[in-house]
Amino acid sequence: MIKFIQNLFGKEEAQVDSLGTIGVDMHSHILPGIDDGAATVEQSLELVRAMKELGYRKLIMTPHIMSDFYRNTPEIIRGQLQVLQQAVQEEGLDMELACAAEHYLDEALLQKLEDGEELLTFGDNYLLFETSFLNEPLNLREAIFRMQSQGYKPVLAHPERYTYFYGKFDDLVRLREQGVLLQPNLNSLSGYYSPGAKMVVEKLIDAGLVDFLGSDAHSLKHTANLQKVLCSKHLVKALELPLLNNQL
Ligand SMILES: [Fe+2]
């Protein structure tokens, strides 16, 4: 929520005191034991508690699917969702839990799209995907075309973190014009990943090119940093955009 405080000069300034306005997080690695996020149910529970304290009411958790490292399937992910839902219930924690996935753009993803294999989505058929951080994938346009032809709405995870877009902001603008929704990571607002990522996320917010905001929480280090993000001036600005999180 946004509150107004008086600054040192007696002027009113907006400040965010929780992430309750976002309400629903749609990108995290909180499900236990299937990627580089929470390793155990206990760690998952700690993360759910931390996200609750930050003001979230629902978590759509998105384990990596990457053919070289994380061969997760819808069955595996749904199985772990049930495990965590039960643990959350036993703990008496009030948090709605759901799952999707963060799909790495590789040949296996292209093949699944071609075969019409089931892909885990959230909300209105939103498909969360990521690419290599360093190299622009040669098949980016083709992948987007295939996703859209199969009826998916592609959501690019953390667009501000791909260095191949640095100095090419117009390419991000064009992607969004082609129907790719953009989901920056909240922690980029504090410079957590790099000064470059901070610069791009601020530019995206200034240009109104943000559709979702995600925590991308893997560990308590990430949720602790989210507390720092609450002081970001650009967060106030981002929360004034027509974000889709709270409709999920
Ligand atoms: Fe992620």
Side-chain angles (χ1 to χ4, degrees), residues 7-123:
N7 70 14
L8 283 175
F9 309 102
K11 256 181 110 181
E12 278 222 322
E13 230 175 48
Q15 210 184 55
V16 179
D17 64 355
S18 88
L19 297 176
T21 311
I22 299 173
V24 182
D25 184 48
M26 39 58 72
H27 181 169
S28 74
H29 303 270
I30 291 177
L31 283 180
I34 52 174
D35 66 3
D36 57 345
T40 61
V41 175
E42 287 65 36
Q43 287 182 9
S44 301
L45 286 171
E46 284 176 349
L47 280 165
V48 172
R49 274 187 215 105
M51 293 295 274
K52 173 111 194 125
E53 265 169 44
L54 282 159
Y56 288 106
R57 62 175 172 83
K58 178 176 176 181
L59 306 176
I60 301 170
M61 298 165 289
T62 51
H64 290 287
I65 297 183
M66 197 186 275
S67 58
D68 287 342
F69 296 102
Y70 308 109
R71 299 199 169 170
N72 285 316
T73 62
E75 295 70 35
I76 293 173
I77 294 172
R78 287 195 183 109
Q80 290 309 89
L81 174 64
Q82 280 190 354
V83 169
L84 187 58
Q85 276 173 330
Q86 197 181 333
V88 159
Q89 204 181 358
E90 282 167 10
E91 288 287 306
L93 275 167
D94 179 24
M95 179 67 90
E96 192 181 338
L97 299 179
C99 67
E102 181 177 15
H103 299 88
Y104 187 83
L105 204 177
D106 53 20
E107 279 305 316
L109 177 62
L110 283 173
Q111 193 59 49
K112 284 177 196 166
L113 284 164
E114 174 137 336
D115 297 344
E117 221 176 274
E118 185 197 9
L119 297 175
L120 283 179
T121 60
F122 60 95

Side-chain angles (χ1 to χ4, degrees), residues 155-179:
V155 178
L156 181 61
H158 35 66
E160 76 283 7
R161 296 193 62 197
Y162 305 112
T163 53
Y164 60 83
F165 279 130
Y166 290 4
K168 294 182 183 173
F169 192 75
D170 286 351
D171 286 3
L172 279 174
V173 177
R174 218 163 300 129
L175 266 191
R176 192 161 179 275
E177 282 168 0
Q178 288 165 358

